[in-house]
Amino acid sequence: MKVACILLSRKSKNSTEVRLLDFAEACLRLSPQIALREPDTIFIEIGKCESLYLEISFQSRVQVLLGRFELEGELAFSHDIPSSLALARYRVKEVDDLPIESLQWFGDPFGIDPIGRKSIFKMIESFKKLGILNISQFKLIPSSQMPSRFGALGLYCRQLVEHSSLIPWPHWKVPDKYSERLELLPSESCLEIDPLLFKSKEMLDR
């Protein structure tokens, strides 16, 4: 598996919350396997598309799409969702260069477990007190010691950092869209909003 993470910038002219779904739909031309982390992150599985385009051409296509939607974003590649997200967040190329705080993105990459995140932050503080400040130092701790010293959560984060455990890919599907058209006869002039709303009531109710 090869994952591209596109982290939309909050400095963009347009609201990332509003444009995320539209931008994700446009990314379907790059790969059919997409996952979202609202409000600003898109994950694209591109491992099966390597015969169609190279990584450099993928980057160029993403930049074109960002420009078309008047958005800015950070792009990172890795073997799974958590590490690609962490690399995009901290703008580094290698997992070993990530700060120890990046474990929060490994333990809860989709931001759906607030209780688990609190446990992760406590674990991060414990690592910092021990002088473990980055992922390369974190990986020096023997895996056999992780459960007894930091519990199952520490071992789980270690497995994710080393790509020995993968989280399920939450497939994203484009929401269904419906359109209605109201045609007015030349004799049905609506010069004000009230007559137009009256004419549109049946369509709006449906």
Side-chain angles (χ1 to χ4, degrees):
M1 178 181 291
K2 188 170 186 179
V3 180
C5 175
I6 306 173
L7 177 63
L8 301 181
S9 172
R10 295 185 180 275
K11 298 179 181 180
S12 301
K13 297 179 181 179
N14 295 311
S15 170
T16 56
E17 290 86 349
V18 175
R19 306 305 297 276
L20 179 66
L21 296 181
D22 291 337
F23 186 76
E25 184 175 352
C27 288
L28 284 173
R29 69 190 64 182
L30 303 175
S31 171
Q33 195 166 354
I34 288 179
L36 301 184
R37 184 188 194 277
E38 296 186 11
D40 57 7
T41 311
I42 299 171
F43 303 100
I44 307 176
E45 206 291 306
I46 60 174
K48 298 176 182 178
C49 303
E50 290 182 335
S51 60
L52 299 177
Y53 46 74
L54 300 176
E55 185 176 304
I56 187 65
S57 61
F58 177 85
Q59 291 177 322
S60 300
R61 295 183 185 197
V62 169
Q63 291 301 325
V64 170
L65 286 177
L66 287 171
R68 186 176 302 170
F69 282 82
E70 298 183 340
L71 293 169
E72 298 177 8
E74 187 71 22
L75 178 62
F77 299 93
S78 191
H79 300 291
D80 53 35
I81 285 177
S83 56
S84 65
L85 174 60
L87 293 173
R89 288 277 178 186
Y90 291 95
R91 299 183 179 182
V92 297
K93 297 297 183 182
E94 301 295 333
V95 171
D96 285 356
D97 297 331
L98 289 167
I100 195 64
E101 289 84 358
S102 65
L103 286 180
Q104 62 182 296
W105 308 113
F106 284 91
D108 185 25
F110 290 100
I112 57 177
D113 185 10
I115 297 177
R117 284 177 70 85
K118 291 181 180 179
S119 300
I120 293 172
F121 287 133
K122 290 181 181 179
M123 184 177 65
I124 290 172
E125 290 303 315
S126 299
F127 284 132
K128 292 168 70 175
K129 291 178 181 178
L130 294 172
I132 301 172
L133 304 179
N134 54 48
I135 296 299
S136 62
Q137 294 173 330
F138 170 69
K139 290 169 66 175
L140 293 176
I141 303 174
S143 298
S144 58
Q145 297 181 13
M146 293 300 297
S148 60
R149 299 179 65 181
F150 304 102
L153 181 60
L155 180 60
Y156 176 64
C157 289
R158 176 61 173 270
Q159 292 172 341
L160 291 173
V161 165
E162 295 180 338
H163 309 298
S164 60
S165 178
L166 296 177
I167 63 172
W169 185 282
H171 181 68
W172 176 73
K173 180 183 177 182
V174 180
D176 293 330
K177 297 180 180 180
Y178 302 91
S179 63
E180 293 276 358
R181 180 176 179 178
L182 176 64
E183 295 187 1
L184 298 176
L185 298 174
S187 59
E188 298 176 305
S189 99
C190 294
L191 301 180
E192 297 180 358
I193 190 65
D194 288 340
L196 183 59
L197 289 175
F198 179 77
K199 288 285 186 181
S200 304
K201 186 177 186 306
E202 180 180 353
M203 177 179 67
L204 294 172
D205 290 342
R206 184 166 60 248

